Amino acid sequence: MVLFYFPPDGHMGTKRGLGFVRNLKAYGWEPIVLTVEPSLLYYPWYDNDLLSRIPPEVKVFRTKMFSNLMFNEVGTRWMPYLIPKARRILKEIGFDAIFITGGPYFHFLMGYFMKAVYGIPYVLDYRDGR
């Protein structure tokens, strides 16, 4: 699961992704989360209480993100870290599908890349709002 907004982030979009993470196991899926490192640069609203809602068995991987690029959409600043990290996770752990939620939306291209190169199916969740 590729979730830009994830605990400790307190945006509304965090709650949707966290809900999927908490409930997918009941449907036979074991979510692995790929998100950005917690930092005030990325998350202006922290809610550390949300960290306790992540099931302990869920693996969470975090990446950095460029802070200064001429593009304002944060997905463009995340992509240089996102794809290499996803490739390492695929090699070390493996996964059967990719679930990507947005906005931001530019990182949705990661799904196309992973499908083209590795044949891994992906789902894009066009979440409404933040």
Side-chain angles (χ1 to χ4, degrees), residues 28-52:
W29 291 92
E30 293 185 32
I32 299 169
V33 175
L34 180 52
T35 188
V36 295
E37 293 177 355
S39 166
L40 289 175
L41 175 64
Y42 314 138
Y43 298 145
W45 299 287
Y46 273 89
D47 185 349
N48 285 322
D49 292 336
L50 290 174
L51 289 169
S52 66

Side-chain angles (χ1 to χ4, degrees), residues 57-102:
E57 69 275 6
V58 172
K59 292 179 177 81
V60 178
F61 296 90
R62 297 186 184 268
T63 69
K64 295 181 180 185
M65 184 176 78
F66 284 113
S67 60
N68 274 334
L69 283 180
M70 63 176 168
F71 301 105
N72 193 31
E73 209 270 357
V74 293
T76 61
R77 301 190 316 243
W78 191 21
M79 285 288 282
Y81 292 99
L82 180 62
I83 291 177
K85 186 69 165 187
R87 292 171 67 182
R88 282 194 295 273
I89 295 168
L90 178 62
K91 183 178 180 181
E92 294 172 14
I93 299 174
F95 47 83
D96 298 318
I98 302 170
F99 176 92
I100 307 171
T101 191

